[in-house]
Amino acid sequence: MQTETIESLPQFLKQTETFSLIAYHTLFRGQSHRRNLLPGIARAEPTKDTTEQEQALLKTLERMGATKIQHRDFDKWDLLVLAQHFGMKTRLLDWTSNPLAALWFACFNTNDRDGYVYALEADDHLMPDASSVDPFKLSATKVVQPRLANERIVAQHGWFTVHRYSKGARGFVALENNPETRSHLSEYVIPASSKEDVVRELDRCGINQSTLFPDLEGLCRYLNWKHETNPENLPRL
């Protein structure tokens, strides 16, 4: 996996602009920890086969959340995406087709830890018609684009990798260790000292909590950030 250090938004854009020449679909993921590219259901115990538990959780969600789920024509994929969206641990790992969104997720927590963006050349792993496939019976890690069923998926240009428990490997295999995906990954490291400046640069480009989370919660988070970082820029009464 190729690794590059990024200290500014222009440098990141220069590094990523060549992906359009390499792959038609390149996806990006920003996170605050290095590698361990596993979905939430497998992150704590990757050697544990949680397939049956995950299926049971989804059935329970469908039953107990019947009055909260607006659509009645949801298939297994829609239910997985819905569960992932609202914080349930699933076999889905979030990605975006917008590299700036991924960069924001890598940097928004301006603590003393480095941020990381991963780029995945996804053409060889796409599953164009996922609706006809059972997500619990995949033979390999795949990439799917969900139905644009909520505002956050639209705003964040959301995609997912769908992982499986490999009986041969006796566990869920992180993308950076998977022989089918590791050669298609690139890693960008944003030093902790650069993250705050990068977040400000992204805000000037319209990438912030308010645009990535287009609801009242996202707006309030954004106003909190503006107040904490530069209260002079807020309108006066």
Side-chain angles (χ1 to χ4, degrees), residues 33-85:
H33 59 273
R34 191 168 201 180
R35 304 189 182 181
N36 198 30
L37 295 171
L38 284 167
I41 197 76
R43 215 164 285 156
E45 297 183 72
T47 59
K48 182 179 180 180
D49 187 355
T50 53
T51 302
E52 290 186 1
Q53 293 96 318
E54 187 179 356
Q55 290 175 308
L57 281 171
L58 286 175
K59 288 181 180 178
T60 303
L61 173 64
E62 189 174 24
R63 184 178 67 254
M64 296 183 66
T67 61
K68 299 177 176 63
I69 299 174
Q70 296 179 351
H71 302 283
R72 292 293 176 265
D73 60 342
F74 270 15
D75 58 19
K76 287 183 180 180
W77 289 102
D78 294 319
L79 196 58
L80 266 175
V81 171
L82 183 73
Q84 176 81 0
H85 173 72

Side-chain angles (χ1 to χ4, degrees), residues 11-201:
Q11 183 188 4
F12 181 71
L13 290 172
K14 186 175 181 180
Q15 287 287 336
T16 57
E17 66 183 1
T18 58
F19 278 110
S20 61
L21 304 175
I22 300 172
Y24 187 77
H25 292 96
T26 301
L27 304 181
F28 301 87
R29 174 175 171 80
Q31 55 187 45
S32 59
H33 59 273
R34 191 168 201 180
R35 304 189 182 181
N36 198 30
L37 295 171
L38 284 167
I41 197 76
R43 215 164 285 156
E45 297 183 72
T47 59
K48 182 179 180 180
D49 187 355
T50 53
T51 302
E52 290 186 1
Q53 293 96 318
E54 187 179 356
Q55 290 175 308
L57 281 171
L58 286 175
K59 288 181 180 178
T60 303
L61 173 64
E62 189 174 24
R63 184 178 67 254
M64 296 183 66
T67 61
K68 299 177 176 63
I69 299 174
Q70 296 179 351
H71 302 283
R72 292 293 176 265
D73 60 342
F74 270 15
D75 58 19
K76 287 183 180 180
W77 289 102
D78 294 319
L79 196 58
L80 266 175
V81 171
L82 183 73
Q84 176 81 0
H85 173 72
F86 284 103
M88 200 178 94
K89 293 180 179 180
T90 74
R91 61 190 48 223
L92 301 181
L93 184 65
D94 296 90
W95 295 79
T96 173
S97 58
N98 184 346
L100 298 187
L103 184 61
W104 185 88
F105 280 104
C107 295
F108 82 99
N109 188 353
T110 53
N111 54 23
D112 58 355
R113 298 174 58 183
D114 295 344
Y116 301 88
V117 173
Y118 293 92
L120 173 65
E121 299 157 30
D123 290 347
D124 292 343
H125 313 288
L126 284 177
M127 191 163 50
D129 185 18
S131 60
S132 61
V133 180
D134 188 329
F136 295 98
K137 295 182 180 179
L138 297 179
S139 59
T141 298
K142 293 294 182 181
V143 172
V144 296
Q145 183 179 31
R147 280 204 279 187
L148 303 179
N150 65 66
E151 290 183 343
R152 287 190 182 182
I153 287 180
V154 175
Q156 296 173 15
H157 303 264
W159 289 68
F160 298 100
T161 45
V162 191
H163 300 244
R164 69 186 179 101
Y165 180 86
S166 171
K167 293 183 179 179
R170 297 182 180 179
F172 289 86
V173 181
L175 293 181
E176 69 270 21
N177 299 325
N178 188 329
E180 296 180 355
T181 56
R182 63 190 177 195
S183 62
H184 298 156
L185 282 169
S186 299
E187 178 183 69
Y188 299 94
V189 183
I190 303 90
S193 58
S194 300
K195 291 196 300 182
E196 185 173 350
D197 289 339
V198 169
V199 170
R200 290 181 184 276
E201 291 175 325

Side-chain angles (χ1 to χ4, degrees), residues 224-237:
N224 282 339
W225 175 79
K226 293 289 281 187
H227 171 69
E228 292 164 1
T229 57
N230 196 352
E232 289 77 16
N233 283 344
L234 289 174
R236 298 290 182 179
L237 293 179

